[in-house]
Amino acid sequence: MRTSGPFTIYKMCTSWHYLGYVYLYSFICYVDGFYTSPSQDIVCGELLRAGQGNIESPLFPDPYPADLDCKWTITARPGYRISVTSEYFSLESQTNCLYDYITIADGEDGEFGRARYCGDQDVDFLSQHNVITVDFRTDHSASYPGFRLLYEAVAPQSKKSAGCNRTVQSEGVISSPDYPFTYPANVTCFYHVQAPVHQLIVLEFVEFQVETSPCDFDRLEIYNGINTDVENLLGIFCGSDLPVSLQSETSSLILKFVSDKTVEKKGFNATVHFIDDIENTSTTEVSSSTPPPIQTTKTPLRQSTTSGLLVSTRENQVSFIGECNVTVAAAISNISSPSYPNLYPLNTVCITRLASQTVSSFLIKFFNFNIEEGDNCTYDSLCIYARADSDHSEPVLLRCLCGPHLENPIFTWEGQGLDLVFRSDSSVSSEGYWAQVFISPVKKESTCPAECENGGTCTEILLVDGSIDWMCMCPELYTGTLCQTQVKVTCSNVLCENGGTCQEDENDAHCLCPSGFTGRYCEEMGEVTEGGTLYFTKIAGNMSLSPGSNVILECAVNDPTAHVMWLLHDRILTKADWSRGIEVHPGGVVVIPEVRDEHSGRYTCMAITSGDLLERSMWVTLKEPCSLFGDGHKWV
């Protein structure tokens, strides 16, 4: 449910049930005087693989339901650790986190410790084990926007870091420590770039990969001059977008690179050039070709005329914006009235435009608010308008705010944009406001709780009560919620055709087909080029496999003296194919430990004796698994 303003959920959780891996909640909401009910149950909790990805509280960024108990279990590769950080976090606050909170348990049973978070705390957690459980619990009252947590598998560090504090006095290349490998954790490096007298420095980035969202974790700070005073700061960089070229105002630059204890990336690589200071003038604009509003992902960095710094508004990077007439498209931004925290100017109209290319959830959380109060906010005001759907439509007024404080400091809206219009008259100036903006594209409802295994297909189904659910439709011989269990097959339920003989092994029963027939049940005609007395006693049938599966191809004939070989696309497989991931063993056995695209195609088993030749073909095809969560749930 999305509304035109903050709302409170008064009654929740009319029913719930547990499916072994996920909680499903049915509920009724009381919103602004109306009872509403969503069309689907809430999927709450998942089994995840790290990878990279994120988890969100139910209904995020709208207030979460009451009486929840959601569990996410995240598993990384053995030896890896898991980093969890908060992109956005706002729960009910209590000194001991007894009301609404998340608990992160380190280890399968929390044997390596537990951490609890609530309120507006920043989550910055690094596990010792490769398995963690995130448990989100809420009480019966006081719902808040919730959270979006980012998780990532952290590889064990094996190398020592190179030195990083140095002075650069000639043109060349400058890079983060250990580049092009990942930079080390917990380092602070200073680079002093010194050009000759009457020359300036141009810094051009060739590659940039630094932990992102926000720049409080790992970052590159760049300063004019020979010290790191805040008034000399040109910009703070993080993320994966390539920064624009920077030109110094003097003959010196200071680069300060900082990394925290978690999540190391490749770092940065930049070239240093010296140019003549012909005009001997200073500029704080890297480029004057991009005036407000800020709409591109490569906005120049500049020193602001306000007390803060205007930092690049790239996606997943924190911004501070306190100017008139700007466009904000970053995932997280801090916005304020002009001149904040000083008194805002008189007779001013400023428009802050929140924009997204797709339908998104917009959340505005005010941390400070003090605007001159008047009847119907007729003096000074901050009015919020919904962006019109077309150029010919008028914006829709949602709310006008004024006064010394806000009763509810959180505002949510779903659409493609909002306009925040600040107006002041000719008298009485106040402190103004500052707020955090969170823009999150609306995602489709989640489908299956995790990736279907063994070639299963994620399928939408209609329940008897009219609601929609999702389930994995399993291929033959597999069952379970995720098609993870292989069905035990015996010869009692296998009927071989065309004179085939059933044979059982540890997990399966299959048909041994006579010459001229193939298929799982000997139901298909096979190709026999020559031979009379020679026939197959064991031959693999057609296979449809998921990428990464293990497969064994076996072929045998009734004559033990026959030479048996496998061909792929009519080329004989030998031990030289081990380098391609195909293991050729004696006795007509081929093993492919991890099937890839290059391994698909027609395989032919050929048996040769002094008087006979027999061959039969089968096909290996790859079937893409149900893709539900994107790269965030694949091993990296």
Side-chain angles (χ1 to χ4, degrees), residues 14-84:
T14 57
S15 66
W16 65 272
H17 56 282
Y18 180 56
L19 299 182
Y21 56 88
V22 62
Y23 287 94
L24 294 180
Y25 287 84
S26 300
F27 59 89
I28 296 176
C29 309
Y30 183 82
V31 181
D32 286 347
F34 298 93
Y35 283 101
T36 63
S37 179
S39 60
Q40 300 187 30
D41 289 341
I42 291 180
V43 176
C44 178
E46 299 175 42
L47 303 176
L48 302 170
R49 290 179 175 179
Q52 290 180 322
N54 65 73
I55 58 178
E56 297 177 349
S57 54
L59 303 182
F60 178 83
D62 285 340
Y64 46 76
D67 297 318
L68 289 179
D69 186 359
C70 307
K71 289 182 174 63
W72 293 266
T73 298
I74 306 174
T75 303
R77 287 178 174 176
Y80 278 59
R81 303 162 76 184
I82 302 173
S83 167
V84 181

Coordinates of all heavy atoms in Angstrom, one line a residue, residues 14-84:
T14 N -3.6 -10.9 10.8 CA -4.7 -11.7 11.1 C -4.4 -13.2 11.1 O -5.1 -14.0 11.7 CB -5.9 -11.4 10.2 OG1 -5.4 -11.6 8.8 CG2 -6.3 -9.9 10.3
S15 N -3.4 -13.6 10.3 CA -3.0 -15.0 10.3 C -1.6 -15.1 9.7 O -1.1 -14.2 9.0 CB -3.9 -15.8 9.4 OG -3.9 -15.4 8.1
W16 N -0.9 -16.2 10.1 CA 0.4 -16.5 9.5 C 0.7 -18.0 9.5 O 0.1 -18.7 10.4 CB 1.5 -15.7 10.1 CG 1.8 -16.0 11.6 CD1 1.2 -15.5 12.7 CD2 2.7 -17.0 12.0 NE1 1.7 -16.0 13.8 CE2 2.7 -17.0 13.5 CE3 3.6 -17.8 11.4 CZ2 3.4 -17.8 14.2 CZ3 4.4 -18.7 12.2 CH2 4.3 -18.6 13.6
H17 N 1.6 -18.5 8.7 CA 2.0 -19.9 8.7 C 3.4 -20.0 8.2 O 3.9 -19.2 7.5 CB 1.1 -20.8 7.9 CG 0.9 -20.4 6.5 ND1 0.1 -19.3 6.1 CD2 1.4 -20.9 5.3 CE1 0.1 -19.2 4.8 NE2 0.9 -20.1 4.3
Y18 N 4.1 -21.1 8.6 CA 5.5 -21.3 8.4 C 5.7 -22.5 7.4 O 5.1 -23.5 7.6 CB 6.2 -21.5 9.7 CG 7.7 -21.8 9.6 CD1 8.5 -20.8 9.0 CD2 8.3 -22.9 10.0 CE1 9.9 -21.0 8.8 CE2 9.7 -23.2 9.9 CZ 10.5 -22.2 9.3 OH 11.8 -22.4 9.2
L19 N 6.4 -22.3 6.3 CA 6.6 -23.3 5.3 C 8.0 -24.0 5.4 O 8.4 -24.7 4.5 CB 6.5 -22.7 3.9 CG 5.1 -22.1 3.6 CD1 5.1 -21.6 2.2 CD2 4.0 -23.1 3.9
G20 N 8.7 -23.8 6.5 CA 10.0 -24.5 6.6 C 11.1 -23.6 6.2 O 12.3 -23.8 6.6
Y21 N 10.9 -22.7 5.3 CA 12.0 -21.8 4.8 C 11.5 -20.4 4.7 O 12.3 -19.5 4.4 CB 12.5 -22.3 3.4 CG 11.4 -22.4 2.4 CD1 11.1 -21.3 1.6 CD2 10.6 -23.6 2.2 CE1 10.0 -21.4 0.7 CE2 9.6 -23.6 1.3 CZ 9.3 -22.5 0.5 OH 8.3 -22.6 -0.4
V22 N 10.3 -20.1 4.8 CA 9.8 -18.7 4.7 C 8.5 -18.6 5.4 O 7.7 -19.5 5.5 CB 9.6 -18.4 3.2 CG1 8.5 -19.3 2.6 CG2 9.2 -16.9 3.0
Y23 N 8.3 -17.4 6.0 CA 7.0 -17.1 6.7 C 6.1 -16.3 5.7 O 6.6 -15.5 5.0 CB 7.3 -16.2 7.9 CG 7.9 -16.9 9.1 CD1 9.3 -16.9 9.3 CD2 7.1 -17.5 10.0 CE1 9.8 -17.5 10.4 CE2 7.7 -18.2 11.1 CZ 9.0 -18.2 11.3 OH 9.6 -18.8 12.3
L24 N 4.9 -16.7 5.7 CA 3.9 -16.0 4.9 C 2.9 -15.3 5.9 O 2.3 -16.0 6.7 CB 3.1 -16.9 4.0 CG 4.0 -17.5 2.8 CD1 3.1 -18.4 2.0 CD2 4.6 -16.4 2.0
Y25 N 2.6 -14.0 5.7 CA 1.7 -13.3 6.6 C 0.5 -12.8 5.8 O 0.7 -12.3 4.7 CB 2.4 -12.1 7.2 CG 3.4 -12.4 8.2 CD1 4.7 -12.8 7.9 CD2 3.0 -12.4 9.6 CE1 5.6 -13.1 8.9 CE2 3.9 -12.7 10.6 CZ 5.2 -13.0 10.2 OH 6.1 -13.4 11.2
S26 N -0.7 -13.0 6.3 CA -1.9 -12.3 5.8 C -2.2 -11.2 6.8 O -2.1 -11.4 8.0 CB -3.0 -13.3 5.7 OG -2.7 -14.4 4.8
F27 N -2.7 -10.1 6.3 CA -2.9 -9.0 7.2 C -3.9 -8.0 6.6 O -4.3 -8.0 5.5 CB -1.6 -8.2 7.5 CG -0.9 -7.6 6.3 CD1 -1.2 -6.4 5.8 CD2 0.0 -8.4 5.6 CE1 -0.6 -5.8 4.7 CE2 0.6 -7.9 4.5 CZ 0.3 -6.6 4.1
I28 N -4.4 -7.1 7.5 CA -5.3 -6.0 7.2 C -4.7 -4.7 7.7 O -4.2 -4.7 8.8 CB -6.7 -6.2 7.8 CG1 -7.3 -7.5 7.1 CG2 -7.6 -5.0 7.5 CD1 -8.7 -7.8 7.7
C29 N -4.7 -3.7 6.9 CA -4.1 -2.4 7.3 C -5.2 -1.4 7.5 O -6.1 -1.3 6.7 CB -3.1 -1.9 6.2 SG -1.9 -3.1 5.7
Y30 N -4.9 -0.5 8.5 CA -5.8 0.6 8.6 C -5.0 1.9 8.3 O -4.1 2.2 9.0 CB -6.3 0.7 10.1 CG -7.3 1.9 10.3 CD1 -8.6 1.8 10.0 CD2 -6.8 3.1 10.8 CE1 -9.5 2.8 10.2 CE2 -7.7 4.1 11.1 CZ -9.0 4.0 10.7 OH -9.9 5.0 11.0
V31 N -5.3 2.5 7.2 CA -4.5 3.6 6.6 C -5.4 4.8 6.4 O -6.3 4.8 5.5 CB -3.8 3.1 5.3 CG1 -3.0 4.2 4.8 CG2 -3.0 1.9 5.5
D32 N -5.0 5.9 7.1 CA -5.7 7.2 6.8 C -7.2 7.0 6.8 O -7.9 7.6 5.9 CB -5.2 7.8 5.5 CG -3.8 8.4 5.7 OD1 -3.4 8.5 6.8 OD2 -3.2 8.7 4.7
G33 N -7.8 6.2 7.7 CA -9.2 6.1 7.8 C -9.8 5.0 6.9 O -11.0 4.8 6.9
F34 N -9.0 4.2 6.2 CA -9.5 3.2 5.3 C -8.8 1.8 5.6 O -7.6 1.8 5.8 CB -9.3 3.5 3.8 CG -10.0 4.8 3.4 CD1 -9.3 6.0 3.5 CD2 -11.3 4.7 3.0 CE1 -9.9 7.1 3.1 CE2 -11.9 5.9 2.6 CZ -11.2 7.1 2.6
Y35 N -9.6 0.8 5.6 CA -9.0 -0.6 5.7 C -8.6 -1.0 4.3 O -9.4 -0.9 3.4 CB -10.0 -1.6 6.4 CG -10.1 -1.4 7.8 CD1 -11.2 -0.8 8.4 CD2 -9.1 -2.0 8.7 CE1 -11.3 -0.6 9.8 CE2 -9.3 -1.8 10.1 CZ -10.3 -1.2 10.6 OH -10.4 -1.1 12.0
T36 N -7.4 -1.5 4.2 CA -7.0 -2.0 2.9 C -6.3 -3.4 3.1 O -5.8 -3.7 4.2 CB -5.9 -1.1 2.2 OG1 -4.8 -1.0 3.1 CG2 -6.5 0.3 2.1
S37 N -6.3 -4.2 2.0 CA -5.6 -5.5 2.1 C -4.9 -5.7 0.8 O -5.4 -5.5 -0.2 CB -6.7 -6.6 2.3 OG -6.1 -7.8 2.3
P38 N -3.6 -6.1 0.9 CA -2.8 -6.3 -0.3 C -3.3 -7.6 -1.0 O -4.0 -8.5 -0.4 CB -1.4 -6.5 0.2 CG -1.6 -7.0 1.6 CD -2.8 -6.3 2.1
S39 N -3.0 -7.7 -2.3 CA -3.5 -8.9 -3.0 C -2.7 -10.1 -2.7 O -3.2 -11.2 -3.1 CB -3.4 -8.6 -4.5 OG -2.0 -8.3 -4.9
Q40 N -1.5 -10.0 -2.2 CA -0.7 -11.2 -1.9 C -0.3 -11.2 -0.5 O -0.2 -10.2 0.2 CB 0.5 -11.3 -2.8 CG 0.1 -11.4 -4.3 CD 1.3 -11.6 -5.2 OE1 2.2 -12.2 -4.8 NE2 1.2 -11.1 -6.4
D41 N 0.1 -12.4 0.0 CA 0.7 -12.5 1.3 C 2.1 -12.0 1.2 O 2.7 -11.9 0.2 CB 0.8 -14.0 1.8 CG -0.6 -14.5 2.1 OD1 -1.5 -13.7 2.4 OD2 -0.8 -15.7 2.1
I42 N 2.7 -11.6 2.4 CA 4.0 -11.1 2.5 C 5.0 -12.3 2.5 O 4.8 -13.1 3.4 CB 4.2 -10.2 3.7 CG1 3.4 -8.9 3.5 CG2 5.7 -9.9 3.9 CD1 3.5 -7.9 4.6
V43 N 6.0 -12.3 1.7 CA 7.0 -13.3 1.8 C 8.1 -12.7 2.7 O 8.6 -11.6 2.5 CB 7.7 -13.5 0.4 CG1 8.8 -14.5 0.6 CG2 6.6 -14.1 -0.5
C44 N 8.3 -13.4 3.8 CA 9.1 -12.8 4.9 C 10.2 -13.8 5.2 O 10.0 -14.8 5.9 CB 8.2 -12.6 6.1 SG 9.0 -11.9 7.5
G45 N 11.5 -13.6 4.8 CA 12.6 -14.5 5.1 C 12.9 -15.3 3.9 O 12.1 -15.7 3.1
E46 N 14.2 -15.6 3.7 CA 14.7 -16.4 2.6 C 15.9 -17.2 2.9 O 16.6 -16.9 3.9 CB 15.0 -15.5 1.4 CG 13.8 -14.7 0.9 CD 14.3 -13.7 -0.2 OE1 15.1 -14.2 -1.1 OE2 13.8 -12.6 -0.2
L47 N 16.3 -18.2 2.1 CA 17.5 -18.8 2.1 C 18.4 -18.2 1.0 O 18.0 -18.3 -0.2 CB 17.4 -20.3 1.9 CG 16.5 -21.1 2.8 CD1 16.3 -22.6 2.4 CD2 17.0 -21.0 4.3
L48 N 19.5 -17.6 1.3 CA 20.3 -16.8 0.3 C 21.7 -17.3 0.3 O 22.2 -17.9 1.2 CB 20.3 -15.4 0.7 CG 18.9 -14.7 0.8 CD1 19.0 -13.3 1.4 CD2 18.2 -14.6 -0.5
R49 N 22.3 -17.1 -0.9 CA 23.7 -17.4 -1.1 C 24.5 -16.1 -1.4 O 24.0 -15.3 -2.2 CB 23.9 -18.4 -2.2 CG 23.4 -19.8 -2.0 CD 23.7 -20.7 -3.2 NE 23.3 -22.1 -2.9 CZ 23.4 -23.1 -3.8 NH1 23.8 -22.8 -5.0 NH2 23.0 -24.3 -3.5
A50 N 25.6 -15.9 -0.7 CA 26.4 -14.7 -0.9 C 27.6 -15.2 -1.7 O 28.3 -16.1 -1.4 CB 26.9 -14.2 0.4
G51 N 28.0 -14.4 -2.8 CA 27.4 -13.4 -3.5 C 27.3 -12.0 -2.9 O 27.8 -11.6 -1.9
Q52 N 26.6 -11.3 -3.7 CA 26.1 -9.9 -3.3 C 24.6 -9.8 -3.4 O 24.0 -10.5 -4.3 CB 26.8 -8.9 -4.2 CG 28.3 -8.6 -4.0 CD 28.8 -7.6 -4.9 OE1 28.4 -7.5 -6.0 NE2 29.7 -6.8 -4.4
G53 N 24.0 -9.0 -2.6 CA 22.6 -8.9 -2.7 C 22.1 -7.9 -1.6 O 22.9 -7.3 -0.9
N54 N 20.8 -7.9 -1.5 CA 20.2 -7.0 -0.4 C 19.0 -7.7 0.1 O 18.3 -8.5 -0.6 CB 19.9 -5.6 -0.9 CG 18.8 -5.6 -1.9 OD1 17.7 -5.8 -1.7 ND2 19.2 -5.3 -3.2
I55 N 18.6 -7.4 1.4 CA 17.3 -7.8 2.0 C 16.6 -6.6 2.5 O 17.2 -5.6 2.9 CB 17.5 -8.9 3.1 CG1 18.5 -8.3 4.2 CG2 18.1 -10.1 2.5 CD1 18.6 -9.3 5.3
E56 N 15.3 -6.6 2.4 CA 14.5 -5.5 2.9 C 13.4 -6.0 3.9 O 13.0 -7.1 3.8 CB 13.8 -4.8 1.7 CG 14.7 -4.3 0.6 CD 14.0 -3.7 -0.6 OE1 12.8 -4.0 -0.7 OE2 14.6 -3.0 -1.4
S57 N 13.0 -5.1 4.7 CA 11.9 -5.3 5.6 C 10.6 -5.4 4.7 O 10.5 -4.7 3.7 CB 11.8 -4.2 6.7 OG 11.7 -2.9 6.1
P58 N 9.6 -6.1 5.2 CA 8.4 -6.2 4.4 C 7.7 -4.8 4.2 O 7.7 -4.0 5.1 CB 7.5 -7.1 5.3 CG 8.4 -7.9 6.1 CD 9.6 -7.1 6.3
L59 N 7.3 -4.6 3.0 CA 6.6 -3.3 2.5 C 7.6 -2.2 2.4 O 7.2 -1.1 2.0 CB 5.5 -2.9 3.5 CG 4.4 -3.9 3.7 CD1 3.3 -3.3 4.7 CD2 3.7 -4.3 2.4
F60 N 8.9 -2.4 2.6 CA 9.9 -1.3 2.6 C 9.7 -0.5 1.2 O 9.6 -1.1 0.2 CB 11.3 -1.8 2.7 CG 12.3 -0.8 2.6 CD1 12.7 0.0 3.7 CD2 13.0 -0.5 1.4 CE1 13.7 0.9 3.6 CE2 13.9 0.5 1.3 CZ 14.3 1.2 2.4
P61 N 9.7 0.8 1.2 CA 10.0 1.7 2.3 C 8.8 2.2 3.1 O 8.9 3.1 3.9 CB 10.7 2.9 1.6 CG 10.0 3.0 0.3 CD 9.7 1.6 -0.1
D62 N 7.7 1.6 2.9 CA 6.5 1.9 3.8 C 6.7 1.2 5.1 O 7.5 0.2 5.2 CB 5.2 1.4 3.1 CG 4.8 2.4 1.9 OD1 5.3 3.5 1.9 OD2 4.0 1.9 1.1
P63 N 6.0 1.7 6.1 CA 6.1 1.0 7.4 C 5.9 -0.5 7.4 O 4.9 -0.9 6.8 CB 5.1 1.8 8.3 CG 5.0 3.1 7.6 CD 5.1 2.9 6.2
Y64 N 6.7 -1.2 8.1 CA 6.6 -2.6 8.2 C 5.4 -3.1 9.1 O 4.9 -2.3 9.9 CB 7.9 -3.3 8.7 CG 8.4 -2.6 10.0 CD1 7.8 -2.8 11.3 CD2 9.5 -1.7 9.9 CE1 8.3 -2.1 12.4 CE2 10.0 -1.1 11.0 CZ 9.4 -1.3 12.3 OH 9.9 -0.7 13.4
P65 N 4.9 -4.3 8.9 CA 3.7 -4.8 9.7 C 4.2 -5.0 11.1 O 5.3 -5.1 11.5 CB 3.4 -6.1 9.0 CG 4.0 -6.0 7.6 CD 5.2 -5.2 7.8
A66 N 3.2 -5.2 12.0 CA 3.4 -5.5 13.4 C 3.5 -7.1 13.5 O 3.2 -7.8 12.6 CB 2.2 -5.0 14.2
D67 N 4.1 -7.5 14.7 CA 4.2 -8.9 15.1 C 4.8 -9.7 14.0 O 4.4 -10.8 13.7 CB 2.8 -9.4 15.4 CG 2.2 -8.7 16.6 OD1 2.9 -8.4 17.6 OD2 1.0 -8.3 16.5
L68 N 6.0 -9.3 13.5 CA 6.7 -10.1 12.5 C 7.8 -10.9 13.2 O 8.3 -10.5 14.2 CB 7.3 -9.2 11.5 CG 6.4 -8.5 10.5 CD1 7.3 -7.6 9.6 CD2 5.7 -9.5 9.7
D69 N 8.2 -12.0 12.6 CA 9.4 -12.8 12.9 C 9.9 -13.3 11.6 O 9.5 -14.4 11.2 CB 9.0 -13.9 13.9 CG 10.3 -14.6 14.4 OD1 11.4 -14.2 14.0 OD2 10.2 -15.5 15.2
C70 N 10.8 -12.5 11.0 CA 11.4 -12.9 9.7 C 12.8 -13.3 9.8 O 13.6 -12.7 10.5 CB 11.3 -11.7 8.8 SG 9.7 -10.9 8.6
K71 N 13.2 -14.4 9.1 CA 14.5 -14.9 9.2 C 15.1 -15.1 7.8 O 14.5 -15.7 6.9 CB 14.6 -16.3 9.9 CG 14.3 -16.2 11.4 CD 14.4 -17.5 12.1 CE 14.3 -17.4 13.6 NZ 13.0 -16.9 14.0
W72 N 16.3 -14.5 7.6 CA 17.1 -14.7 6.4 C 18.3 -15.4 6.8 O 19.1 -14.9 7.6 CB 17.4 -13.4 5.7 CG 16.3 -12.6 5.2 CD1 15.8 -12.6 3.9 CD2 15.5 -11.6 5.9 NE1 14.8 -11.7 3.8 CE2 14.5 -11.1 5.0 CE3 15.5 -11.2 7.2 CZ2 13.6 -10.2 5.4 CZ3 14.5 -10.2 7.6 CH2 13.6 -9.7 6.7
T73 N 18.6 -16.6 6.1 CA 19.8 -17.3 6.4 C 20.7 -17.1 5.1 O 20.3 -17.4 4.0 CB 19.6 -18.8 6.6 OG1 18.8 -18.9 7.8 CG2 20.9 -19.6 6.8
I74 N 21.9 -16.6 5.3 CA 22.8 -16.3 4.2 C 24.1 -17.2 4.3 O 24.7 -17.2 5.4 CB 23.2 -14.8 4.2 CG1 22.0 -13.9 4.2 CG2 24.1 -14.5 3.0 CD1 22.3 -12.4 4.4
T75 N 24.4 -17.9 3.3 CA 25.5 -18.8 3.3 C 26.5 -18.4 2.2 O 26.2 -18.1 1.1 CB 25.1 -20.2 3.0 OG1 24.1 -20.6 4.0 CG2 26.2 -21.2 3.1
A76 N 27.8 -18.3 2.6 CA 28.9 -18.0 1.6 C 29.7 -19.3 1.5 O 29.5 -20.3 2.2 CB 29.7 -16.9 2.2
R77 N 30.7 -19.2 0.6 CA 31.6 -20.4 0.4 C 32.4 -20.6 1.7 O 32.7 -19.7 2.4 CB 32.6 -20.1 -0.7 CG 32.0 -20.1 -2.1 CD 33.0 -19.8 -3.2 NE 32.5 -19.9 -4.5 CZ 33.1 -19.6 -5.6 NH1 34.3 -19.1 -5.5 NH2 32.6 -19.8 -6.8
P78 N 32.8 -21.9 1.9 CA 33.6 -22.2 3.1 C 34.9 -21.3 3.1 O 35.5 -21.2 2.0 CB 33.9 -23.7 2.9 CG 32.8 -24.2 2.1 CD 32.4 -23.1 1.2
G79 N 35.2 -20.8 4.2 CA 36.4 -19.9 4.3 C 36.1 -18.5 4.1 O 36.9 -17.6 4.5
Y80 N 35.0 -18.2 3.5 CA 34.6 -16.8 3.3 C 33.9 -16.2 4.5 O 33.3 -17.0 5.3 CB 33.7 -16.6 2.1 CG 34.4 -16.6 0.8 CD1 35.2 -17.7 0.4 CD2 34.3 -15.5 -0.1 CE1 35.9 -17.6 -0.9 CE2 34.9 -15.5 -1.3 CZ 35.7 -16.5 -1.7 OH 36.4 -16.5 -2.9
R81 N 33.9 -14.9 4.7 CA 33.1 -14.2 5.7 C 32.0 -13.4 5.0 O 32.0 -13.3 3.8 CB 34.0 -13.3 6.5 CG 35.2 -14.1 7.2 CD 36.3 -13.2 7.6 NE 35.9 -12.4 8.8 CZ 36.7 -11.5 9.4 NH1 37.9 -11.2 8.8 NH2 36.4 -10.9 10.5
I82 N 31.1 -12.9 5.8 CA 29.9 -12.2 5.2 C 29.8 -10.8 5.8 O 29.8 -10.7 7.0 CB 28.6 -13.0 5.4 CG1 28.7 -14.4 4.8 CG2 27.4 -12.2 4.8 CD1 27.5 -15.2 5.1
S83 N 29.8 -9.8 5.0 CA 29.7 -8.4 5.4 C 28.2 -8.0 5.2 O 27.6 -8.2 4.2 CB 30.6 -7.5 4.6 OG 30.3 -6.2 4.8
V84 N 27.7 -7.3 6.3 CA 26.3 -6.8 6.2 C 26.4 -5.3 6.6 O 26.9 -5.0 7.7 CB 25.4 -7.5 7.1 CG1 24.0 -7.0 7.0 CG2 25.3 -9.0 6.8

